[in-house]
Amino acid sequence: LTDLLRVIFLSKPETIFTSEREIKFSELVRFNSIEAARESIVNNEIESVVRRSHHDQFFWMEKRFGMLLREGLDIWPDFIELCERRNLLTHTGGVVSDQYLQNCADYGRNSVFKVGEKLNVDLDYLVKSIGIITEIGCKLIHTMWRKFAPDQRSDADSHLNGFGMDLIAAKEFDTAIKILEFGVNQKQHSSDLCRRMMVVNLANALKLGGNLDRCNRVLSKHDWSATSYQFQICVAAVRDNFEEVCRFLKMGEDVTGITPSNFRDWPVFLEARKQQMVQEAFETVFGEELFRSEAEPSKD
C-alpha cells in the first residue's frame, strides 16, 4: 500500500498537493529544496494513511481519489475478518473480543465464535488468507493503475492476463477465476484481442477448477469462428476437443502461430499435453518430443 500510494502521489501530485494544503514557513526552511519538501509531505501523508485500520484505509482512498473501491468486491467481509483476526493474534493471543465480533458484523461477516474463545490459523485458513490478500491487492492496484494511467491500459491488460495465467500454472484456480473475471468485466480494454485472451484463460481456469458448465457458458458467449487459428486451437484445447487440437497443430507454426514453447508452457494446453494423439501430432509437426529431457535444446 505504501508503494502504491507513493506511485500515485508522485505521478499525480494534484491528488496530494491541493490548494487547501499549507506548510508553515518555519517547516519549509528546514528543507534544502522544494523537492525535499515535496518528499516529506508525501511521506507524512502515506504514514498517516498506513497507521489507519485497513477498512479506514479503503474509505480514505475512496474519498481522496473519488472511487468506489469496494463496489462489487464480494471478498470484502472476508478481508475484514482476516484483518480483525490478525489484530487478535497480535494483541490478545487470538482470544475473541467484543470488538472483533462487532467489526466483523458491521461489514457483513457474522461470526460463530463467542467472546473468550481462542482463534488460530490452520493450513486451510492460511491458504484462504493468501488468496484473499492476492485478490484484494491485485484488484486495488489494477483499479488505480487504470484510473491514473489510462495510456498504459495495454500494459495493464497484459499484466492482468499474465498474472491470471501464472495463477493457473500454480494451480490456484479459485484466485485465477476471480482475477480473470475482474479483467474480463472491465468497462474498457486496450483491444478485443486482449479481452478474448482473458476470456479463454478464464474458461480454462473454470474447467481446471472443476466447473465445466460455467466454462462452456463463458466460451459460448463469443463467436470464435472468425478469430485467428491461435485462438481456435486454444478454445479447442479448453473444450477438450483433442482431435481439433491435432488438426490445428498439423497446420504448422507458420499458420497457427503456436511455437513448441507456447504449446509446452501455456496453461491452456495442460490437458491436451497429456493426450497420446496430441503428443504424436506435436512430434510430427515440430520434429521433437513434447516432453523432452532437460539437456535437450529447444528448436524455437
Side-chain angles (χ1 to χ4, degrees):
L1 182 59
T2 296
D3 291 342
L4 176 62
L5 291 175
R6 184 176 300 280
V7 168
I8 293 172
F9 290 153
L10 293 180
S11 62
K12 298 291 182 180
E14 65 272 17
T15 60
I16 185 172
F17 298 104
T18 63
S19 59
E20 292 82 13
R21 179 172 291 279
E22 296 179 352
I23 182 170
K24 296 179 180 178
F25 180 75
S26 59
E27 296 174 348
L28 187 61
V29 295
R30 294 190 293 108
F31 301 105
N32 296 325
S33 65
I34 293 297
E35 188 58 39
R38 182 198 303 269
E39 181 71 14
S40 177
I41 292 173
V42 168
N43 288 338
N44 290 337
E45 187 78 357
I46 292 173
E47 185 179 349
S48 72
V49 176
V50 298
R51 282 202 304 262
R52 301 166 182 253
S53 67
H54 291 308
H55 45 81
D56 282 342
Q57 290 168 355
F58 270 76
F59 298 154
W60 182 92
M61 288 186 288
E62 287 182 329
K63 183 177 180 181
R64 173 57 64 91
F65 302 135
M67 306 172 72
L68 299 176
L69 297 174
R70 293 166 295 140
E71 187 175 51
L73 191 60
D74 297 337
I75 206 168
W76 178 252
D78 291 331
F79 175 66
I80 293 298
E81 192 283 328
L82 168 61
C83 297
E84 294 300 322
R85 185 174 299 215
R86 174 265 173 199
N87 292 340
L88 289 185
L89 292 167
T90 302
H91 302 295
T92 73
V95 177
V96 174
S97 65
D98 282 321
Q99 183 179 2
Y100 166 84
L101 296 175
Q102 187 61 55
N103 286 344
C104 288
D106 286 346
Y107 297 102
R109 178 69 184 268
N110 293 318
S111 177
V112 298
F113 298 105
K114 298 179 181 179
V115 173
E117 292 184 338
K118 191 170 184 178
L119 304 182
N120 58 16
V121 175
D122 59 19
L123 181 58
D124 288 342
Y125 186 89
L126 175 61
V127 170
K128 181 181 178 183
S129 298
I130 293 171
I132 291 170
I133 296 299
T134 301
E135 178 184 348
I136 208 162
C138 178
K139 289 181 176 180
L140 176 62
I141 289 168
H142 273 273
T143 298
M144 296 294 190
W145 191 357
R146 300 176 86 86
K147 176 180 175 66
F148 291 112
D151 58 317
Q152 297 178 22
R153 187 164 293 141
S154 178
D155 288 341
D157 283 347
S158 178
H159 182 276
L160 197 57
N161 183 58
F163 185 46
M165 290 176 65
D166 289 343
L167 288 168
I168 295 172
K171 299 184 179 180
E172 300 289 346
F173 303 128
D174 289 344
T175 305
I177 290 167
K178 293 174 181 178
I179 296 303
L180 289 165
E181 280 182 330
F182 172 76
V184 169
N185 292 330
Q186 291 298 312
K187 293 180 180 179
Q188 290 183 307
H189 296 86
S190 57
S191 67
D192 183 62
L193 175 69
C194 195
R195 182 179 183 277
R196 283 181 180 265
M197 289 168 63
M198 292 188 204
V199 170
V200 172
N201 285 316
L202 170 59
N204 190 41
L206 287 165
K207 181 191 76 171
L208 295 174
N211 199 329
L212 190 57
D213 287 342
R214 276 194 66 197
C215 164
N216 290 328
R217 287 200 299 272
V218 166
L219 290 177
S220 296
K221 290 179 181 179
H222 301 80
D223 179 11
W224 302 99
S225 61
T227 59
S228 68
Y229 287 127
Q230 191 173 82
F231 268 116
Q232 292 186 49
I233 189 174
C234 289
V235 171
V238 174
R239 285 175 167 159
D240 288 344
N241 189 340
F242 303 124
E243 291 184 355
E244 277 289 278
V245 171
C246 291
R247 184 175 72 83
F248 285 120
L249 266 181
K250 291 175 181 177
M251 291 180 179
E253 179 181 340
D254 292 341
V255 176
T256 64
I258 298 294
T259 68
S261 61
N262 293 156
F263 203 83
R264 287 190 176 103
D265 298 337
W266 287 2
V268 74
F269 297 121
L270 181 63
E271 293 301 315
R273 289 193 290 264
K274 300 176 183 178
Q275 308 303 313
Q276 183 67 33
M277 70 169 69
V278 174
Q279 295 171 18
E280 292 173 355
F282 181 96
E283 185 171 357
T284 298
V285 172
F286 297 114
E288 57 185 271
E289 293 184 358
L290 178 55
F291 301 107
R292 62 175 188 264
S293 65
E294 289 296 324
E296 185 180 345
S298 171
K299 295 184 180 179
D300 286 357

